[in-house]
Amino acid sequence: MSTIAVLGMPNTGKSTLFNRLTGHHAHIGNWPGLTVDLMQAELQLSGRNVQLVDLPGIYDLRGHSDDEAVVRRFLEQTPVDLVLVVLNASQLDRQLRLALQVQQLGLPAVVALNMADEAARFGVSINAENLGAALGQPVLPLSAKYRQGLETLQHTLLEQLEAGPMAAVPEQLEERLAAADADLEGAMAALVERSVTLPGRWRDSRSRRLDAVLLHPLLGLPLFFLAMALMFQGIYAIGVPVQEALGGLLDQFGQLVLKPLLAPLPALLQGFLLEGLYQGLGTVMAFLPVIALFFLAMGVVEDSGYLSRAAYLMDAFMERIGLDGRSFVLSLMGFGCNVPAILGTRVMRDRGLRLLSILVIPFSLCSARLNVFLFMAAVFFPPRIGGLVIFGLYLMSFVAAMLTALLFRGRFPSNEPLVLELPPYRLPTAGQMLSRAWSEVKHFWLWSRRFIIVGVVAVWLLNNLPVGVEPASSASLAGQLGTLTQPLLAPIGINPKLAVALLFGFIAKEIVLGGLAVIYGQADPAALSRAIASDVSWPQAVSFMLFTLLYTPCLSTVAVIRSESKKLSFTLLSVAWSLLLAWLVSFVAFQTITRLS
């Protein structure tokens, strides 16, 4: 099978092009010789099987970041038949470096000038034929966003694969790049002069006008946080009714269809399948529409170019606490999942900055925690302020991250300056955003369901063993386990049932809500809401949400912290600090609210 490596700088639309070519068939897999997993997919080009590998976005093959080292190791250790170099067509004066370096290595390549529609809007004119002749590589203008030029690209990839044998693996890649006598800056300037016509004045007046307001020294940050608050309020207002309706349908299906079907089975097995497995999974499934709305909204913020502006706005403040704008962006990425956000710290060359960023990212309110908070906010707060409660939790996650950075910046000092590119504002297409949201939700479900299944089954067993005890009573294993935690958790208002859910949240936060459904024996969100509301006070609920927000991240995140930091002591520090901070914040909140109410 032929292998094509996709190489490009950040913000070139490389991942969008990869997704357009592969559809929804991509998966993450391990490559021999690498310590990281890479996105890959199999596709057919006129009957020929091809494996496409999406490499991390890098600026320079000679760079010193972890991502650049990963790309070098991949090219040294993996025989590739072709390299697809993706460049931003409107920034060729800065982006031709990678194409020239691939040329120096003698690797067969095709150059895709992505965002050609945007380049034309800015007044950039490119002679692709001249540029291709100078590089000795086919050069194709296209727009992955609007699916323009994809058929021509696929045809050209096939032609290049059939034209020659597999390329030799570049040995001693770093030494060959260092020894290359070509002047890259001069070569890029010559290529641009020969093949690219740049406008006398940059024509992106829309971005300039928007930046005058959104990057205003006084208005910029308040406008950003206002936009985030409105976004979460909208997600809450739209998503909760949809979640409740889906939860009701799943409950009706369980009562009217599954229950009669399972009637012939022994009572214990019936309870396991219906009250344990189905109720736990069903409760989590009911929140998938809300998760989809979240990813949809965050996708718009990111792809529109506003996320980079947020990093720019926050950079001066972040620098004072030992971080930079990239740390802020990665923390925002952690809203989806902490794991890829931590992996994203590889772009940082300075180890101190990277470790401090890894320490603060797990406080980002990931999507697994979000479904817990959406549920609890709907139970204990009226709709008009539910979204503000969720936004308040997001603010608390930032406060926790900032406090952590302030306390530990002396231990992990950094001197790496931030180089940040502000892309032009773009209007994401509806199809692109829907496709992205679907991919993220699918990934969330496929990634989390194994943990959810194991977790809800374990919770059900703890609730119903020993045989003959009242389910979820103090005599059950779950009750005994919850009682054991009371000396530590009672001062923060966490009762034994909530404690069991939190204990299983150590495995994955996705289990918390499913565990509550099993503990209280209710799959329908409305019925579960009533059961929890009758057993938990609102100060306890606030404490529970704060503890869930701040305490030890899931095992997957802990594993990634260990692999990326390469230090067990650092991993233990991260776990211990999050537990301590969660307890202290919950204690202060619960005791204060209790005394004032």
Side-chain angles (χ1 to χ4, degrees):
M1 180 182 296
S2 302
T3 300
I4 300 178
V6 185
L7 181 66
M9 294 185 181
N11 298 316
T12 58
K14 179 172 65 71
S15 296
T16 300
L17 177 59
F18 180 85
N19 292 332
R20 292 298 197 202
L21 291 173
T22 62
H24 298 295
H25 306 295
H27 64 281
I28 298 175
N30 179 261
W31 280 85
L34 301 181
T35 59
V36 299
D37 295 336
L38 299 176
M39 187 71 73
Q40 56 188 293
E42 294 182 10
L43 66 154
Q44 285 197 340
L45 298 176
S46 298
R48 178 165 181 166
N49 291 329
V50 175
Q51 182 156 233
L52 208 62
V53 183
D54 188 15
L55 298 176
I58 62 171
Y59 290 99
D60 193 330
L61 278 172
R62 297 175 300 183
H64 302 291
S65 72
D66 286 358
D67 275 350
E68 288 158 338
V70 165
V71 172
R72 285 196 300 270
R73 286 199 299 271
F74 178 88
L75 293 177
E76 286 176 336
Q77 301 179 20
T78 305
V80 296
D81 299 271
L82 193 63
V83 178
L84 175 57
V85 183
V86 185
L87 307 180
N88 185 333
S90 65
Q91 299 176 352
L92 290 184
D93 54 331
R94 302 196 298 271
Q95 299 219 344
L96 282 169
R97 178 186 306 275
L98 283 180
L100 286 169
Q101 289 178 334
V102 169
Q103 180 193 54
Q104 290 174 349
L105 293 174
L107 293 170
V110 172
V111 178
L113 302 183
N114 196 19
M115 305 179 184
D117 58 310
E118 193 172 87
R121 179 165 64 87
F122 296 156
V124 178
S125 176
I126 303 169
N127 189 323
E129 186 175 344
N130 281 356
L131 185 58
L135 289 172
Q137 303 161 349
V139 175
L140 304 173
L142 56 87
S143 173
K145 177 180 177 180
Y146 294 107
R147 300 181 182 273
Q148 297 171 356
L150 296 187
E151 290 185 7
T152 303
L153 174 62
Q154 291 175 320
H155 180 71
T156 303
L157 291 175
L158 181 61
E159 284 185 339
Q160 294 300 304
L161 288 173
E162 293 178 343
M166 179 184 297
V169 177
E171 297 180 358
Q172 298 179 327
L173 186 147
E174 290 187 68
E175 289 80 357
R176 290 181 59 181
L177 286 170
D181 55 9
D183 175 16
L184 285 181
E185 298 299 329
M188 285 193 295
L191 285 175
V192 169
E193 182 178 0
R194 175 178 178 180
S195 308
V196 182
T197 302
L198 298 174
R201 181 179 178 183
W202 201 245
R203 296 182 182 177
D204 190 16
S205 58
R206 180 176 64 184
S207 290
R208 290 201 305 271
R209 290 194 302 268
L210 288 172
D211 281 343
V213 177
L214 298 179
L215 294 183
H216 191 277
L218 297 178
L219 298 178
L221 279 177
L223 286 175
F224 171 72
F225 285 110
L226 176 62
M228 293 295 100
L230 292 175
M231 184 185 81
F232 292 124
Q233 186 73 13
I235 292 172
Y236 184 87
I238 298 171
V240 170
V242 175
Q243 168 258 315
E244 291 176 348
L246 180 57
L249 288 175
L250 291 171
D251 183 58
Q252 290 294 315
F253 179 80
Q255 295 298 319
L256 300 178
V257 178
L258 289 183
K259 193 171 184 178
L261 287 176
L262 299 176
L265 298 177
L268 191 64
L269 184 56
Q270 285 185 50
F272 169 74
L273 293 174
L274 187 61
E275 300 170 7
L277 193 59
Y278 180 75
Q279 287 186 356
L281 286 172
T283 302
V284 177
M285 286 178 62
F287 281 87
L288 291 182
V290 181
I291 302 299
L293 285 172
F294 171 80
F295 282 123
L296 187 65
M298 285 303 298
V300 172
V301 173
E302 182 177 354
D303 288 4
S304 66
Y306 194 28
L307 196 61
S308 297
R309 268 77 182 176
Y312 173 80
L313 287 167
M314 291 293 295
D315 183 62
F317 172 76
M318 299 291 281
E319 186 178 2
R320 294 172 186 167
I321 59 174
L323 299 170
D324 67 13
R326 287 170 299 183
S327 306
F328 179 73
V329 170
L330 291 171
S331 294
L332 290 180
M333 287 178 58
F335 287 172
C337 179
N338 294 165
V339 171
I342 291 173
L343 294 175
T345 61
R346 293 172 184 160
V347 300
M348 300 171 177
R349 294 180 176 89
D350 188 278
R351 180 162 175 80
L353 175 62
R354 190 175 181 208
L355 288 177
L356 189 58
S357 299
I358 290 174
L359 195 62
V360 303
I361 286 172
F363 292 112
S364 295
L365 199 164
C366 66
S367 56
R369 295 173 177 131
L370 177 62
N371 60 16
V372 179
F373 300 150
L374 286 167
F375 173 80
M376 298 297 285
V379 173
F380 292 96
F381 300 98
R384 67 180 183 276
I385 64 171
L388 296 178
V389 171
I390 301 299
F391 180 62
L393 288 168
Y394 276 94
L395 288 181
M396 177 57 70
S397 74
F398 279 120
V399 170
M402 300 305 104
L403 176 63
T404 299
L406 279 171
L407 290 176
F408 291 97
R409 63 177 177 175
R411 184 169 178 177
F412 306 107
S414 169
N415 296 310
E416 181 183 356
L418 172 66
V419 179
L420 185 66
E421 177 185 348
L422 296 182
Y425 288 100
R426 304 182 178 105
L427 185 63
T429 63
Q432 182 182 2
M433 289 297 94
L434 290 172
S435 175
R436 176 172 177 169
W438 167 249
S439 297
E440 295 284 5
V441 169
K442 183 177 70 172
H443 177 70
F444 169 79
W445 177 247
L446 294 177
W447 172 266
S448 63
R449 65 180 179 183
R450 52 183 173 176
F451 295 112
I452 297 171
I453 291 173
V454 171
V456 298
V457 167
V459 171
W460 186 89
L461 290 172
L462 288 175
N463 278 345
N464 289 271
L465 295 178
V467 177
V469 303
E470 182 182 351
S473 67
S474 59
S476 67
L477 293 179
Q480 296 175 38
L481 188 61
T483 301
L484 286 175
T485 65
Q486 286 308 284
L488 180 64
L489 298 183
I492 62 174
I494 304 298
N495 66 25
K497 291 183 178 180
L498 296 178
V500 172
L502 287 175
L503 288 172
F504 280 91
F506 279 110
I507 302 172
K509 298 301 183 288
E510 294 87 346
I511 299 175
V512 173
L513 194 57
L516 288 173
V518 175
I519 291 168
Y520 284 94
Q522 302 290 342
D524 176 30
L528 181 58
S529 298
R530 292 190 294 270
I532 292 180
S534 65
D535 188 52
V536 177
S537 67
W538 79 267
Q540 287 179 295
V542 171
S543 177
F544 176 77
M545 287 191 285
L546 288 172
F547 197 87
T548 303
L549 170 68
L550 300 174
Y551 85 121
T552 307
C554 65
L555 284 181
S556 300
T557 302
V558 173
V560 171
I561 291 173
R562 174 67 178 89
S563 66
E564 293 301 304
S565 69
K566 299 178 175 60
K567 294 177 67 176
L568 177 60
S569 59
F570 179 86
T571 307
L572 295 176
L573 171 66
S574 174
V575 171
W577 167 243
S578 61
L579 271 173
L580 176 61
L581 183 61
W583 192 92
L584 289 174
V585 171
S586 297
F587 177 81
V588 171
F590 178 70
Q591 295 295 335
T592 302
I593 295 173
T594 301
R595 292 177 183 179
L596 294 178
S597 60

